[in-house]
Amino acid sequence: MFGFNFDKRTLYIIIGVLVVFSLMSYGTEGLFSLVLSIPAVLLAITVHEFGHAYAAYKLGDDTPLRQGRLSLNPLDHIDPLGLAMLLFAHIGWGKPVQVDPRNYNRNISVEKADAIVSFAGPLMNFITAIVFALIYCALYKFAGVAFLSSTVGSIIMAIIASVITMDIGLGVFNLIPLPPLDGSKIILPILPRDAKYWLMDHEQIFYFVFLLIWITGIAGRLISPIIDQITTWVIFLARLIFGL
């Protein structure tokens, strides 16, 4: 997704305070759940940003390649602030993938190319969720009771479940059609011309709208039912494939 134009130093201080208070409020079980969520968060951000980079590269822009973003190494994609937010606020971001629209292939419009690049991030999250749902169901069916009931088995299954929910959550969140989220770019090609120009002219206002619904928790309340429904569908599909 696109970056936030804020004073990073101030935000780091704010997030640091929130992290300290969050850790103080966690019990043993909460801290254990937090630790288990770290692999899921790292993977979700990595595949999301890789999706943007790969789509841009396939459309003719080598900027992500030159900047080392065509990689599945989390260190190439993690923004510390966005990582902390995703861990503790469940809404975060990765290091933005930079693209140069002038390099896109001219067989489609720049606007459509931007939409494809934007959609590639959430799409990678959904694909990852499906893959891990299949892994979860495969282990459940074939790994055996001894593995599933063991400490190691329980931890592995919990991490996989966290990957599924985290990827679906990040994918859905980024489809909200408000700047700076991917959804704001995805909807542009399908908007009427007047609506499109009005949206671009008032982009700064929508940044504040986004901040408002994020800080007040409205965004979470709006998308939580969608996340739950998609998760249910993904798990149902995986269970159907394995006859569970």
Side-chain angles (χ1 to χ4, degrees):
M1 58 178 286
F2 296 100
F4 290 85
N5 296 319
F6 304 129
D7 181 349
K8 283 285 188 79
R9 183 178 177 181
T10 302
L11 279 176
Y12 276 119
I13 294 172
I14 294 172
I15 298 304
V17 173
L18 290 175
V19 167
V20 170
F21 278 104
S22 295
L23 290 173
M24 290 173 63
S25 66
Y26 281 133
T28 303
E29 185 177 340
L31 286 174
F32 184 67
S33 297
L34 176 66
V35 171
L36 289 183
S37 70
I38 291 175
V41 169
L42 292 175
L43 180 60
I45 291 176
T46 298
V47 298
H48 184 95
E49 299 302 336
F50 172 80
H52 290 318
Y54 183 76
Y57 177 71
K58 296 301 289 185
L59 287 170
D61 182 20
D62 65 347
T63 304
L65 175 64
R66 289 186 284 104
Q67 294 183 345
R69 303 303 299 277
L70 279 179
S71 163
L72 289 173
N73 181 351
L75 296 178
D76 295 328
H77 302 290
I78 295 301
D79 178 298
L81 178 59
L83 175 62
M85 287 299 297
L86 198 53
L87 280 171
F88 294 97
H90 306 294
I91 296 177
W93 58 90
K95 187 190 303 179
V97 172
Q98 297 180 357
V99 300
D100 187 347
R102 295 173 299 180
N103 295 332
Y104 289 151
N105 299 326
R106 294 308 179 198
N107 51 340
I108 60 173
S109 67
V110 170
E111 190 176 83
K112 289 181 180 178
D114 266 342
I116 292 171
V117 171
S118 296
F119 182 65
L123 178 61
M124 280 297 297
N125 287 126
F126 295 136
I127 291 173
T128 302
I130 292 171
V131 169
F132 275 82
L134 292 172
I135 293 173
Y136 186 94
C137 290
L139 288 174
Y140 189 84
K141 182 169 185 176
F142 300 115
V145 176
F147 171 79
L148 295 175
S149 59
S150 69
T151 301
V152 173
S154 298
I155 291 174
I156 290 174
M157 297 298 277
I159 291 175
I160 293 173
S162 183
V163 167
I164 297 168
T165 55
M166 186 66 68
D167 273 281
I168 293 175
L170 189 62
V172 171
F173 173 70
N174 274 281
L175 290 179
I176 296 175
L178 290 173
L181 302 175
D182 298 322
S184 64
K185 294 285 186 180
I186 295 170
I187 66 169
L188 281 182
I190 62 176
L191 289 177
R193 181 185 295 271
D194 291 342
K196 187 183 307 180
Y197 288 134
W198 184 86
L199 182 65
M200 290 188 292
D201 289 341
H202 296 83
E203 186 176 60
Q204 197 64 37
I205 295 176
F206 286 102
Y207 271 89
F208 287 107
V209 172
F210 164 75
L211 282 175
L212 180 64
I213 68 170
W214 175 30
I215 293 172
T216 58
I218 295 174
R221 290 194 292 271
L222 287 175
I223 67 175
S224 287
I226 301 173
I227 293 171
D228 292 342
Q229 189 61 60
I230 294 177
T231 302
T232 299
W233 290 339
V234 168
I235 296 297
F236 174 77
L237 174 64
R239 288 173 61 90
L240 191 64
I241 291 173
F242 285 97
L244 295 174

